Amino acid sequence: ALAFTSCSDEGYWNKAEIEGTRYSFAQSASSYSLTATDVMTEAVVTVYRSSKEGEVTVPLAVAIDSAHMAVLSVASNSVTFADGSDVAEVLVNVNMAEMNIGTKYQAALGLAVDSTAYSISGPMAHTMTVVLNYNWIPAGSGIYASSWDGSQFGIKFEKVEGYSDENGYQLYRIPNLYANGYHLEFYTDAAGNAVAAQYGSIPLGIS
């Protein structure tokens, strides 16, 4: 499921009266954690100004790694404040079809204004991060025989929905095997045999 977080080291822009219009982003960073079942086509980044008078267009400074440009792009290289509004939005396009699982895609945004127009408390830059995570689904149950002490116990499997590499391997895990949040991940070949796992070992006695 889609998860979103945001943060700001500098704190929110304040609306104290300041000589001249000042600009800032609402937050210094935002992060979106997606799975293959999520649908996301764009993200909204909020920008503030200290005045509501007149329509004003502010240029953006945008930095996106060339390897990430197929996934992230900005709808415009500027942001426009409507007359009577002190809030504007930057739209960042997201192309999930080009995302690779586990890769963090980032867009760094800045406001290309003179330093005299910087907010005295709000962030002048914003970094947006999007990552596509595995979508783990139930995949049956079996017996796990520990290679450490020979103990055996029943376990439940999960596998990554829709994942298969060029060799036909599928990715499975035994959730919370060692402790809560510590999972054993392993691959199976096209015949369903465990062939590789974390820590250089493979599960024993899985049926």
Side-chain angles (χ1 to χ4, degrees), residues 44-149:
V44 175
V45 178
T46 303
V47 183
Y48 290 131
R49 65 172 174 169
S50 60
S51 170
K52 294 185 178 182
E53 296 181 6
E55 179 179 299
V56 176
T57 297
V58 177
L60 295 172
V62 180
I64 300 174
D65 188 285
S66 59
H68 297 177
M69 288 182 175
V71 173
L72 299 178
S73 62
V74 292
S76 173
N77 286 322
S78 62
V79 59
T80 299
F81 291 86
D83 184 26
S85 177
D86 59 357
V87 180
E89 295 179 341
V90 178
L91 296 182
V92 181
N93 298 316
V94 179
N95 182 5
M96 288 187 63
E98 296 294 329
M99 295 181 70
N100 294 317
I101 292 176
T103 299
K104 290 184 178 181
Y105 299 89
Q106 291 188 324
L109 308 176
L111 299 172
V113 296
D114 186 89
S115 60
T116 58
Y118 290 178
S119 167
I120 62 172
S121 61
M124 291 302 297
H126 182 95
T127 300
M128 192 194 92
T129 303
V130 182
V131 62
L132 181 63
N133 294 311
Y134 293 128
N135 188 34
W136 295 96
I137 59 175
S141 59
I143 301 296
Y144 180 81
S146 172
S147 59
W148 294 343
D149 59 12

Side-chain angles (χ1 to χ4, degrees), residues 160-180:
V160 176
E161 184 178 27
Y163 176 88
S164 180
D165 69 10
E166 64 274 11
N167 298 313
Y169 288 8
Q170 296 189 47
L171 181 57
Y172 284 75
R173 74 178 182 183
I174 304 172
N176 306 313
L177 178 63
Y178 304 115
N180 188 40

Side-chain angles (χ1 to χ4, degrees), residues 157-159 163-165 167-173 185-197 202-203 206:
F157 301 118
E158 294 178 343
K159 69 177 181 178
Y163 176 88
S164 180
D165 69 10
N167 298 313
Y169 288 8
Q170 296 189 47
L171 181 57
Y172 284 75
R173 74 178 182 183
E185 294 182 7
F186 63 97
Y187 290 90
T188 62
D189 61 20
N193 301 307
V195 293
I202 61 175
I206 300 253

